[in-house]
Structure formats: structure tokens, C-alpha cells
Amino acid sequence: MGEILVGTASWTDATLIKCGRFYPRGCSSAEARLRHYANVFPLVEVDSSYYALPSIRNAELWAERTPDDFVFNVKAFRTLTGHQTPRRALPQDILRALNLSADGAPVYANTLPPEIVDELWRRYLEALQPLKDAGKLKALHFQFPPWFTAKRQSYDYLEEVRQRLTGYLVAVEFRHESWMTEDRRDATLAFEAQHGFVNVVVDEPQGARNSIPSVWAITNPELAIVRLHGRNEATWNLKDSTSASDRFNYDYNAEELAALAEPIQQLASSVVQVHAIFNNNFEDQGQRNGQTLMKLIGGVRRQTRL
């Protein structure tokens, strides 16, 4: 039976801190919050690396402030997944090299010179080296945009990602229905398995073109990831200007969590480790739901020291 690790996507969301229910009184510094979080959960997903390149110093601090067996999954920087990238998200020297101001239309990887894209890749991996050296970097999480559809160009890019990330566990999450339709699902899973990608099982609102069903399949024997976005259909496609805490505002009830526990445990029977990550991040929803799920599945858990 493989390990089941439960965690949340980020530990510093503004509404989580403001609600005052997860962090104890006086737990107000970056160090105190991460130490407290890591006393409750054995895993966290770093989402800030999607919005801006991570820094070496932050990765060093993350490694120092967490227990030896704590692990991080780190989202890919948005340019590397084909998302639109606000110019302000790029480092200043990159903007200067591109002769761009910080204002103006977003940029995309396919409009940038290849040497700039290579440099972004280099800096992303360089920043995460302290986590890798500490044995705390588990997976790099590539969440692709809705326009990344199941076509030859997309497969080619996935092969490029695999080549660039030799030696890393890479998880892929799709946001277009074409990848997991009944007639293409098997081919998608076979491609993931062939290239060692970790299939990301999602729990999310259904019916939109940028949703896929929950496909409880293992494509890498080392890891399976279950990413729980909530089931709030009304907010799933709110505009990008809306905060993530509004978009993923959903509180799983006890029955829903119990129904999720069984397939998560089934995954653990065939893989070394399963990560269940709550991305519902309005106030303390994810933290409460995560602790409930740990009780249901008997996964790796921690004792909170207050």
C-alpha cells in the first residue's frame, strides 16, 4: 500500500490568513506560518511559481523551515505552460533584453525568442535546486490552458517538456475536454505513461469545454495526484481578474469527502505515493477539508503544535 499525502495548494492565501481559523494567534511571519502548516500537513503545492519565477532564496527557506520528510509540488511558471504572461511577471532584465516596458499586452512563449525561453526554463529549475538537493521536491506540476488541445503541436510540446525535465517527476493537468473524451482517453493515458508523466486526477465542475472528467488512472508507478478544485459551477469560468479564492470557493461536505476517500485509497494500492491536494482556497476550506480527508483515509498525518 502506497503512502497517501494530503495537502493544499498554497499556504499563504489572503483569505486564509484573514479568516484567522487555521493559523493560531501570533503566527504572523512567513516562517511561523510555513512551520505551522508543515506540522499539520506533509505536503504542499506551491502555486506562486505560476505567477512569477520562484527565487533560490525562497526555496532555501522552504527547505529549512519544513521537516525532513515534507515534500513540495511546484507549479510551472505560466510562460512555460503556454499561458498568457503579463509583462510585469517577467524579470526586469528579461524585459530589457526584449526591449519591452512593464506595461502593455501579455506575452506568450511562442512569440519570444528561443534564447529567452531557454533562459526562463533555466531560471525556473535553478530556483528549485535547493528543494531538489534537500530531497523535498516531489513533482513539477504543469497545468495547461484551455487552448492547449489534443493536437499534434501539443503532443510535440509535451515531448519537449519531457526532454527538458529529464530526472524530474512531471505531472500534467489538462483544461480542455479533448484530452479525455471517450474516444481519446486511452491514447492520452498511454502517451502519459510512455513519457513518464504523472496523470492528474481532477475533481472539478463538469460540462464546460475547459473541464475534464475524473479519470482515476495511474501513468507513473511513483506518483498519482488527485487535485480537488471544488464543484462550484457558477464560479468555474469567472474572468481572470477574479481572485482564485472566489473562483474555487467550495466547501466539500462529509459525504463528498467520504466518496472521494475510496478511490484515493484504491490508487494507493498500485503506486508508491498518492497526493491529494485541495485547491479550494476560500478562507480555510482546503485546510479543513484536508484534515477531514486525512481522518477518513488514515493517510500520513501530523500533530499540530500550538
Side-chain angles (χ1 to χ4, degrees):
M1 190 75 174
E3 284 187 311
I4 301 175
L5 306 187
V6 178
T8 66
S10 182
W11 67 96
T12 58
D13 290 290
T15 62
L16 170 63
I17 294 170
K18 185 177 180 180
C19 80
R21 289 189 291 272
F22 178 69
Y23 292 113
R25 186 181 298 275
C27 187
S28 57
S29 69
E31 177 175 359
R33 286 173 182 148
L34 180 53
R35 289 190 184 278
H36 177 81
Y37 176 94
N39 281 334
V40 179
F41 295 103
L43 156 75
V44 77
E45 177 186 282
V46 177
D47 280 3
S48 59
S49 53
Y50 167 79
Y51 298 99
L53 286 169
S55 72
I56 295 174
R57 182 55 182 155
N58 276 345
E60 290 173 344
L61 293 173
W62 296 339
E64 291 171 7
R65 294 169 175 174
T66 50
D68 291 343
D69 59 348
F70 189 87
V71 295
F72 294 79
N73 292 343
V74 182
K75 286 191 77 174
F77 181 49
R78 60 193 304 159
T79 311
L80 308 182
T81 53
H83 284 86
Q84 69 275 31
T85 303
R87 296 184 188 185
R88 292 183 183 277
L90 295 172
Q92 288 296 313
D93 64 321
I94 296 290
L95 287 176
R96 288 193 295 271
L98 293 169
N99 196 27
L100 293 176
S101 69
D103 300 315
V107 298
Y108 294 82
N110 61 6
T111 65
L112 298 175
E115 62 271 19
I116 294 293
V117 176
D118 289 342
E119 179 63 9
L120 292 174
W121 275 102
R122 187 193 70 79
R123 294 188 191 190
Y124 173 70
L125 294 179
E126 180 184 54
L128 301 181
Q129 192 63 41
L131 285 179
K132 193 169 188 284
D133 291 342
K136 295 184 176 184
L137 179 61
K138 189 65 177 183
L140 303 180
H141 186 94
F142 278 67
Q143 178 188 305
F144 291 100
W147 50 89
F148 190 81
T149 59
K151 58 185 178 182
R152 183 68 262 167
Q153 183 180 3
S154 300
Y155 282 103
D156 290 344
Y157 186 67
L158 287 168
E159 290 178 346
E160 178 186 339
V161 168
R162 182 67 278 173
Q163 291 169 2
R164 287 184 181 270
L165 297 177
T166 300
Y168 291 87
L169 267 177
V170 181
V172 292
E173 179 179 350
F174 299 114
R175 284 287 175 86
H176 191 270
E177 60 182 358
S178 60
W179 293 96
M180 292 297 178
T181 57
E182 288 188 12
D183 61 340
R184 192 183 291 270
R185 182 178 305 172
D186 289 346
T188 296
L189 295 172
F191 180 87
E192 290 179 336
Q194 178 187 352
H195 293 83
F197 289 121
V198 175
N199 177 55
V200 176
V201 183
V202 295
D203 187 77
E204 62 192 26
Q206 296 296 296
R209 297 195 68 184
N210 62 337
S211 295
I212 62 172
S214 301
V215 179
W216 297 87
I218 293 169
T219 54
N220 187 307
E222 291 187 50
L223 180 67
I225 293 178
V226 181
R227 205 155 179 257
L228 301 131
H229 298 292
R231 301 171 181 178
N232 192 336
E233 295 181 5
T235 60
W236 179 245
N237 279 316
L238 288 177
K239 300 298 182 182
D240 289 343
S241 59
T242 303
S243 69
S245 60
D246 289 331
R247 185 179 177 197
F248 301 110
N249 181 353
Y250 189 82
D251 199 355
Y252 286 92
N253 62 41
E255 291 76 16
E256 290 168 331
L257 291 171
L260 288 163
E262 182 178 353
I264 289 172
Q265 290 172 313
Q266 289 175 351
L267 286 180
S269 67
S270 303
V271 71
V272 174
Q273 201 168 83
V274 177
H275 291 182
I277 300 169
F278 284 87
N279 191 42
N280 53 331
N281 57 356
F282 180 73
E283 298 185 345
D284 63 336
Q285 290 171 341
Q287 285 70 27
R288 285 188 291 99
N289 292 168
Q291 289 176 86
T292 299
L293 183 64
M294 282 195 288
K295 293 176 183 177
L296 289 168
I297 63 177
V300 174
R301 67 186 70 190
R302 301 201 183 277
Q303 297 297 321
T304 306
R305 295 193 295 270
L306 300 179

